[in-house]
């Protein structure tokens, strides 16, 4: 059993199925194409999604956007198009299309058109020996499987990005799924043990706590599964959800690990002024990182 399989054991078991497109609606077709999709990803409930791509030379790199939590269960995938108060005003959709990428996002369990009580979902999955976090990861993996069937997308140039819960999803997703070639996470460098040591466990929702995971993995152990793929992690120095002691501990471990693999430049961690937010400097930094590293990945 490899590391990904061991970690998957804690996240739960999932159906073996191919994603199925149920509905597709074109909702914008001027300077780029935006589709609203309805997909069968999990044999439990349909999953609404957005998929957008620029016109012109195809296939193009794809960025899987993971929406944040923020206690707002009504937004979900709409954050891709309309941003949030703690994100920059220009939406991720506008920025990524402008840079020449295709982009997509789903409503994760409990959000947007799938809005229902997060507590009830957590309890329901627990009764069946599953985890809500694992179910959310699985849906994103299945969405990626669908996206890789699209001719508009270069299957070797796949990135994922998100803020807060979306950032956590980005690096967890890359840890368990090697199809992700590049990772950017914002306000999401959270070390489990530091949360315990500093009495900050309640800074994060219960959805994020995977029973038993610390018996086999540290947070850095999970993130090492991403290496040597390029990764950029951005946090605010006053972010109460990302204790700086944990950020620095993981940074030291990953710096050493990426160096041991001969790719020290593929790990970048930056701390900015600010709290739990995406600043202008963060926006410039991640766009430059994507443009430098994703476009240089061999599309074979």
């Amino acid at each position: 059993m490899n590391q990904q399989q061991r970690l998957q054991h804690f996240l739960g078991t999932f159906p073996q199925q191919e994603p199925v497109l149920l509905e597709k609606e074109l909702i914008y077709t001027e300077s780029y194409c935006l589709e609203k999709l309805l997909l069968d990803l999990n044999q439990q409930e349909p999953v609404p999604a957005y998929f957008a791509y620029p016109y012109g030379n195809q296939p193009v790199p794809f960025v899987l956007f993971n929406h944040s939590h923020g206690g707002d269960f009504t937004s979900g995938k709409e954050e891709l198009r309309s941003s949030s108060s703690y994100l920059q005003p220009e939406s991720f959709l506008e920025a990524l299309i402008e840079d020449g990428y295709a982009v997509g996002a789903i409503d994760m369990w409990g959000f947007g058109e799938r809005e229902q009580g997060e507590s009830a979902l957590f309890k329901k999955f627990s009764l069946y020996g599953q985890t809500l976090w694992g179910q959310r990861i699985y849906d994103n993996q299945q969405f990626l499987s669908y996206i890789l069937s699209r001719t508009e997308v270069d299957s070797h140039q796949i990135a994922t990005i998100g803020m807060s819960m979306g950032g956590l999803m980005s690096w967890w997703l890359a840890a368990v799924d090697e199809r992700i070639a590049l990772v950017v996470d914002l306000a999401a460098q959270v070390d489990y043990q530091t949360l315990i040591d500093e009495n900050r466990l309640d800074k994060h929702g219960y959805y994020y706590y995977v029973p038993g995971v610390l018996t086999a993995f540290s947070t850095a152990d999970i993130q090492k599964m991403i290496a040597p793929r390029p990764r950029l992690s951005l946090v605010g120095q006053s972010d109460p959800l990302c204790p700086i002691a944990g950020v620095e501990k993981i940074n030291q471990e990953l710096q050493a690990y990426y160096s041991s693999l001969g790719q020290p430049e593929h790990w970048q961690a930056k701390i900015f002024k600010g709290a739990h937010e995406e600043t202008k400097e963060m926006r410039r930094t991640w766009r430059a990182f994507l443009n430098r590293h994703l476009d240089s990945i061999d599309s074979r």
Side-chain angles (χ1 to χ4, degrees):
M1 182 182 295
N2 62 29
Q3 288 289 82
Q4 281 82 7
Q5 291 169 329
R6 291 181 64 215
L7 184 60
Q8 191 69 56
H9 169 76
F10 292 100
L11 293 172
T13 57
F14 307 95
Q16 300 299 311
Q17 70 165 83
E18 293 296 322
V20 178
L21 176 64
L22 302 175
E23 297 176 13
K24 180 171 73 171
E25 177 186 1
L26 295 175
I27 59 177
Y28 184 82
T29 58
E30 295 181 19
S31 56
Y32 61 89
C33 183
L34 175 62
E35 301 174 359
K36 184 177 180 182
L37 311 173
L38 190 66
L39 301 159
D40 178 7
L41 303 180
N42 54 46
Q43 298 181 3
Q44 298 184 71
E45 65 176 27
V47 179
Y50 284 134
F51 174 52
Y53 51 89
Y55 295 117
N57 294 329
Q58 294 175 350
V60 297
F62 173 76
V63 181
L64 198 167
F65 175 78
N66 303 293
H67 66 75
S68 67
H69 191 299
D72 178 8
F73 295 97
T74 64
S75 181
K77 69 182 182 306
E78 296 301 326
E79 187 175 76
L80 174 64
R81 301 177 64 191
S82 59
S83 199
S84 295
S85 60
Y86 38 78
L87 298 173
Q88 288 300 295
E90 181 186 32
S91 71
F92 274 70
L93 174 61
E94 294 171 310
L96 291 165
I97 288 289
E98 181 181 318
D99 289 346
Y101 304 124
V103 60
I106 66 170
D107 281 329
M108 292 191 232
W109 277 101
F111 289 89
E113 296 178 66
R114 305 172 75 186
E115 185 182 0
Q116 52 186 297
E118 186 173 54
S119 175
L121 281 172
F122 182 89
K123 293 169 184 175
K124 182 185 79 170
F125 288 129
S126 296
L127 289 171
Y128 288 99
Q130 307 294 328
T131 66
L132 177 55
W133 189 235
Q135 294 289 331
R136 286 174 173 166
I137 291 172
Y138 175 74
D139 276 1
N140 272 297
Q141 288 185 277
Q142 288 287 86
F143 178 53
L144 178 56
S145 293
Y146 167 76
I147 289 296
L148 293 178
S149 73
R150 297 291 300 254
T151 59
E152 299 89 353
V153 168
D154 185 327
S155 63
H156 299 287
Q157 295 179 299
I158 304 297
T160 189
I161 189 170
M163 155 87 188
S164 193
M165 182 186 75
L168 295 170
M169 176 59 66
S170 294
W171 61 256
W172 271 85
L173 184 61
V176 300
D177 199 321
E178 295 182 353
R179 296 175 298 178
I180 303 291
L182 180 149
V183 184
V184 177
D185 51 272
L186 296 84
Q189 187 59 303
V190 181
D191 178 61
Y192 277 131
Q193 189 59 51
T194 302
L195 292 179
I196 295 171
D197 295 342
E198 298 190 9
N199 195 27
R200 297 200 195 190
L201 287 172
D202 281 344
K203 292 294 184 181
H204 294 270
Y206 40 79
Y207 72 86
Y208 186 58
Y209 297 104
V210 178
V213 70
L214 284 186
T215 65
F217 298 94
S218 68
T219 304
D221 289 336
I222 298 171
Q223 296 188 17
K224 286 176 183 177
M225 297 180 197
I226 301 170
R229 289 167 284 167
R231 167 135 180 252
L232 174 67
S233 185
L234 309 177
V235 299
Q237 64 183 8
S238 302
D239 188 341
L241 280 70
C242 301
I244 292 299
V247 172
E248 293 175 344
K249 178 174 73 172
I250 294 175
N251 181 37
Q252 290 177 359
E253 287 198 49
L254 293 186
Q255 277 184 332
Y257 191 65
Y258 272 80
S259 294
S260 73
L261 297 176
Q263 297 281 9
E265 73 285 356
H266 279 190
W267 164 247
Q268 294 188 30
K270 298 182 183 294
I271 299 174
F272 295 83
K273 291 181 180 179
H276 196 66
E277 61 188 314
E278 179 201 23
T279 65
K280 291 181 180 178
E281 292 78 12
M282 288 180 179
R283 175 62 64 96
R284 287 195 291 266
T285 300
W286 71 249
R287 288 182 78 168
F289 186 84
L290 275 178
N291 290 334
R292 181 169 63 254
H293 288 282
L294 187 57
D295 290 339
S296 67
I297 293 171
D298 183 9
S299 64
R300 292 189 286 275

